[in-house]
Amino acid sequence: MKLDNTVSAIVTGGASGLGEATARNLASHGVKVALFDLNIERGEQVAKDIGGAFFKVDVTDVESVSSGFEQARKAHGTERILVNCAGIGVAMKTVSRDRETQAVRMHDLKAFAKVIQINLIGTFNCIAHAAAGMVDLEPMNDDGERGVIISTASVAAEDGQIGQAAYSASKGGVKGMTLPIARDLARDGVRVCSVLPGLFKTPLFEGLPEDAVKALSASVPFPARLGHPDEYAHLVAHICENIMLNAECIRLDGAIRMAPK
């Protein structure tokens, strides 16, 4: 796929972090970008910066997603690219003990379900909506390509740490559904890939002490630092441009393999 002003894209979680970097990268190629996020103020600012459009969308809500896609298509036409970056994390062990009373506490099931709902079901919700539009588009090239869908998993899908049961389950689900969805859509010329980022400098790390950031950076074999969001965005752009990348789950992690904790 050639990235230019004939192509439109939707980026979920586009108001910050990996999603914002992706939106800015695609826009720099001329792509018309629509941002989905719940952060209205930041989303509108990023959209203004890149000449795109912002829509408040809750990826877990079918009506909200349907409305977002409808509005984005009115603004830019049917998307050729969907990048799923919306997601949350939670740190909670399956069971833990209260330090004072030694009482056993189980993982909060509502917290577990919320992570699955946003990271996995929300991702699939957006994929299904995008695919429904893409399959009716005219092919872009002699190979019959119509679109590309890229989702964000995590190295936690393979190297889940202590306290990451919910997060790892959600990201493992994203990884696990990449191949079957790619097979579902292959006949219609829609490619599907996922990226498994390692430790990246996103808003999640902004509140950490400098010593903690240095320790995390040192745990990455090479380069020994946190990844930059624009490096994620660069990979997304390459996946869009390289038609032979399909059904791939690509680790972007500096060779890190996460320790138990």
Side-chain angles (χ1 to χ4, degrees), residues 161-229:
Q161 296 183 293
I162 290 171
Q164 286 190 326
Y167 187 70
S168 294
S170 70
K171 295 303 187 178
V174 172
K175 179 188 175 187
M177 70 183 178
T178 302
L179 175 58
I181 296 175
R183 287 173 165 169
D184 285 347
L185 302 178
R187 185 173 295 180
D188 295 299
V190 177
R191 295 185 291 118
V192 181
C193 288
S194 291
V195 179
L196 283 63
L199 301 178
F200 271 70
K201 192 174 183 181
T202 62
L204 180 67
F205 288 95
E206 288 178 357
L208 291 180
E210 185 177 348
D211 288 347
V213 173
K214 286 182 178 179
L216 288 168
S217 299
S219 70
V220 183
F222 184 82
R225 59 170 173 79
L226 300 181
H228 301 308

Side-chain angles (χ1 to χ4, degrees), residues 88-96 105-108 111-112 115-116 119 156-157 159-171 204 258-261:
I88 63 169
V90 63
M92 196 176 298
K93 295 175 68 174
T94 305
V95 294
S96 58
R105 295 177 178 176
M106 295 189 300
H107 194 299
D108 185 282
F112 190 99
V115 174
I116 298 295
N119 294 1
D159 308 339
Q161 296 183 293
I162 290 171
Q164 286 190 326
Y167 187 70
S168 294
S170 70
K171 295 303 187 178
L204 180 67
M258 303 300 289
K261 62 180 180 178

Side-chain angles (χ1 to χ4, degrees), residues 1-230:
M1 179 185 297
K2 183 178 181 182
L3 298 178
D4 58 25
N5 61 9
T6 67
V7 173
S8 62
I10 291 174
V11 181
T12 75
S16 64
L18 303 180
E20 177 183 347
T22 297
R24 291 183 183 278
N25 183 292
L26 293 174
S28 73
H29 289 83
V31 175
K32 295 171 287 187
V33 181
L35 310 171
F36 288 1
D37 209 293
L38 292 175
N39 188 332
I40 298 174
E41 182 178 357
R42 183 60 187 165
E44 289 180 343
Q45 182 60 57
V46 174
K48 181 180 179 181
D49 290 347
I50 66 175
F54 169 77
F55 304 102
K56 182 183 178 182
V57 172
D58 177 353
V59 298
T60 69
D61 184 277
V62 174
E63 291 184 4
S64 180
V65 170
S66 295
S67 175
F69 272 86
E70 182 180 352
Q71 293 178 82
R73 289 166 181 170
K74 284 181 179 179
H76 296 152
T78 301
E79 66 287 347
R80 296 280 186 178
I81 300 167
L82 169 69
V83 186
N84 288 303
C85 291
I88 63 169
V90 63
M92 196 176 298
K93 295 175 68 174
T94 305
V95 294
S96 58
R97 287 188 182 276
D98 184 279
R99 290 185 178 181
E100 294 183 4
T101 67
Q102 292 299 299
V104 175
R105 295 177 178 176
M106 295 189 300
H107 194 299
D108 185 282
L109 193 58
K110 289 183 179 179
F112 190 99
K114 183 177 181 180
V115 174
I116 298 295
Q117 189 71 32
I118 294 173
N119 294 1
L120 179 55
I121 298 175
T123 292
F124 183 76
N125 189 10
C126 293
I127 287 174
H129 278 80
M134 290 178 183
V135 298
D136 280 338
L137 292 171
E138 289 296 316
M140 303 177 70
N141 47 47
D142 292 341
D143 290 305
E145 183 179 26
R146 288 184 169 87
V148 59
I149 295 170
I150 301 168
S151 298
T152 307
S154 167
V155 294
E158 300 176 347
D159 308 339
Q161 296 183 293
I162 290 171
Q164 286 190 326
Y167 187 70
S168 294
S170 70
K171 295 303 187 178
V174 172
K175 179 188 175 187
M177 70 183 178
T178 302
L179 175 58
I181 296 175
R183 287 173 165 169
D184 285 347
L185 302 178
R187 185 173 295 180
D188 295 299
V190 177
R191 295 185 291 118
V192 181
C193 288
S194 291
V195 179
L196 283 63
L199 301 178
F200 271 70
K201 192 174 183 181
T202 62
L204 180 67
F205 288 95
E206 288 178 357
L208 291 180
E210 185 177 348
D211 288 347
V213 173
K214 286 182 178 179
L216 288 168
S217 299
S219 70
V220 183
F222 184 82
R225 59 170 173 79
L226 300 181
H228 301 308
D230 60 355

